[in-house]
Amino acid sequence: MAPRAATEARRQIGAVRLPVRRLHLELTSRCNFACEFCPARRLTRPHGELALGTVARLLAEAGAGGLAQEAHFHVLGEPLLYPELARAIRLARESGLRPWVTTNASLLTPERLRELRGAGLEHLTVSLQTPDAATFGIRGCAELPFEAYRERLLQAVRAHLAEPSDLEVTLSVLVNPLRRFHAPGAPRHRVAQSGPELRQHLARWVEAIFAGTPHAPAIPALLARTARAGILMERRIPLAGGVAFQVRALGSWAEHFQAPVRPAFFGYCPGLTEHLGVLCNGDYVLCCADYDGQTVLANAGTTSLAAYLALPEVQAIAAGFRRFRVVHPYCRRCLGDRRRVDVLLRGVGSILYFKVYRPLMRRDGCREAG
């Protein structure tokens, strides 16, 4: 085989192009929050933790085989509850993968942040999501008042600013444009619903984070960046000192699978191309949105990552999406809707969103935070 052909063969397993961008490892399914927009309360599978030995083996294989680029330690659950999180991060770096952690930050302290950074953490996404006291109530953590949560997060972020490093910290904020425009089936949760409301939230956090730091003189320029934020465009807004905002639209993740829907047979999803997941019991899932293990076809205890990607069932699903055909019943339900016309619109919309809109946003520098 010619060298070029051999390289191409290594970069693809059948219909799955390699490397997959994100390998999601659910270190723990447990969480100390009970967010109303999260489906964890509807979980039917047992809670648990992913064995560190399994984590090490999956990361080593993904790195050595060029199967994935990034290790994201999250599907459901709060990663900071996992006692070996720093070790998992170090294993990812040693395997050649870029480690990312998504956290609600309730357990984040300057000391814990230093520990994770020292282990090689490259990106920390803070699920701020509800950035004021009025909306924090839907996070389901009554024992932690918003002001205490806010102060804890500010201390950690300010510690990060005081000790420059390569770590990127992104504060993710949810918006609800569908409710703002009274769209059918819009998520009901009360988060930012207008551009002015969103920009007020971001401006308050800019002032709170950067006032009194060496970056304080840049606050007017940082506020000017947030002044361009709106609820109709998901985007990442770089600020200063390795800190950024991420604006993301609230979806119907928690409710969509509870209502009767018509299945979709046409559409697109980047699962198996951009990401796949491993649940805390070692089960492989097709994408990070399968929180309840409805797409399990194998377990990491008996099947290697490469062997999983080569399974005929996985190959059929990946090949289907490359032709905009939806194969798996769970995927059909995920892209489905109540009315036939809405199913069609969701299918077309999924293609336009993943194939046109997101590539344009990335080209313009609006990189996603995971």
Side-chain angles (χ1 to χ4, degrees):
M1 182 182 291
R4 181 184 177 91
T7 300
E8 290 301 317
R10 287 196 299 269
R11 302 296 290 178
Q12 194 157 322
I13 297 179
V16 179
R17 294 189 179 96
L18 302 176
V20 175
R21 180 185 162 199
R22 308 191 315 263
L23 173 62
H24 287 256
L25 301 181
E26 185 184 71
L27 299 180
T28 177
S29 62
R30 297 182 175 89
C31 187
N32 57 339
F33 275 25
C35 301
E36 292 182 11
F37 51 80
C38 176
R41 293 175 298 166
R42 299 183 174 92
L43 206 63
T44 61
R45 60 185 173 95
H47 285 290
E49 293 184 352
L50 190 60
L52 186 63
T54 303
V55 173
R57 180 163 43 81
L58 287 166
L59 292 173
E61 183 190 359
L67 304 181
Q69 293 177 319
E70 302 167 358
H72 288 241
F73 297 113
H74 179 69
V75 177
L76 285 185
E78 170 50 54
L80 268 65
L81 290 172
Y82 189 70
E84 299 289 349
L85 177 58
R87 179 61 179 151
I89 291 169
R90 190 169 289 109
L91 288 168
R93 289 301 295 261
E94 292 171 353
S95 301
L97 276 68
R98 300 166 56 198
W100 292 46
V101 167
T102 297
T103 174
N104 60 36
S106 63
L107 303 174
L108 190 65
T109 63
E111 295 74 23
R112 194 72 189 278
L113 186 60
R114 291 188 192 100
E115 177 193 20
L116 301 182
R117 186 176 59 201
L121 182 61
E122 185 166 324
H123 200 115
L124 181 71
T125 299
V126 174
S127 293
L128 175 58
Q129 314 298 32
T130 53
D132 66 350
T135 55
F136 186 73
I138 69 174
R139 305 300 297 275
C141 190
E143 65 274 15
L144 181 64
F146 174 74
E147 289 304 322
Y149 170 77
R150 176 180 179 274
E151 184 58 30
R152 188 172 301 177
L153 176 54
L154 287 175
Q155 287 181 8
V157 175
R158 282 170 167 264
H160 169 67
L161 291 173
E163 302 169 5
S165 69
D166 294 332
L167 174 65
E168 296 181 1
V169 177
T170 298
L171 307 183
S172 181
V173 178
L174 286 173
V175 294
N176 195 351
L178 296 179
R179 180 170 174 175
R180 172 72 175 83
F181 295 106
H182 306 288
R188 60 183 176 82
H189 306 296
R190 177 69 174 84
V191 295
Q193 295 178 196
S194 69
E197 183 182 3
L198 170 64
R199 291 187 286 273
Q200 287 174 7
H201 287 318
L202 299 184
R204 284 195 291 267
W205 278 91
V206 165
E207 295 278 2
I209 292 169
F210 294 101
T213 74
H215 298 282
I219 287 178
L222 303 182
L223 292 175
R225 294 181 190 177
T226 64
R228 296 193 293 270
I231 63 171
L232 296 180
M233 181 180 292
E234 294 190 0
R235 61 183 302 172
R236 184 172 184 270
I237 306 171
L239 298 172
V243 177
F245 287 135
Q246 174 79 10
V247 178
R248 308 190 72 165
L250 175 65
S252 56
W253 193 30
E255 289 94 7
H256 181 72
F257 291 94
Q258 306 305 311
V261 299
R262 296 178 182 273
F265 296 88
F266 171 79
Y268 182 77
C269 172
L272 295 176
T273 300
E274 286 192 4
H275 57 270
L276 73 153
V278 181
L279 301 181
C280 62
N281 66 347
D283 283 342
Y284 292 106
V285 288
L286 297 177
C287 74
C288 61
D290 181 7
Y291 63 90
D292 210 18
Q294 300 300 308
T295 64
V296 173
L297 297 169
N299 185 277
T302 55
T303 306
S304 71
L305 181 55
Y308 166 73
L309 294 174
L311 288 175
E313 300 92 336
V314 173
Q315 288 292 311
I317 294 163
F321 277 127
R322 290 178 66 173
R323 301 190 307 271
F324 306 125
R325 299 291 184 268
V326 187
V327 173
H328 196 279
Y330 183 85
C331 304
R332 290 174 176 174
R333 183 171 177 80
C334 185
L335 287 170
D337 216 316
R338 291 173 177 80
R339 300 183 303 168
R340 287 190 177 89
V341 65
D342 293 327
V343 175
L344 176 62
L345 291 174
R346 280 175 65 90
V348 173
S350 68
I351 296 170
L352 292 175
Y353 178 75
F354 288 115
K355 290 294 190 179
V356 180
Y357 175 77
R358 286 212 326 194
L360 283 174
M361 291 300 99
R362 289 176 182 170
R363 187 191 65 185
D364 293 339
C366 302
R367 185 183 178 196
E368 292 176 287

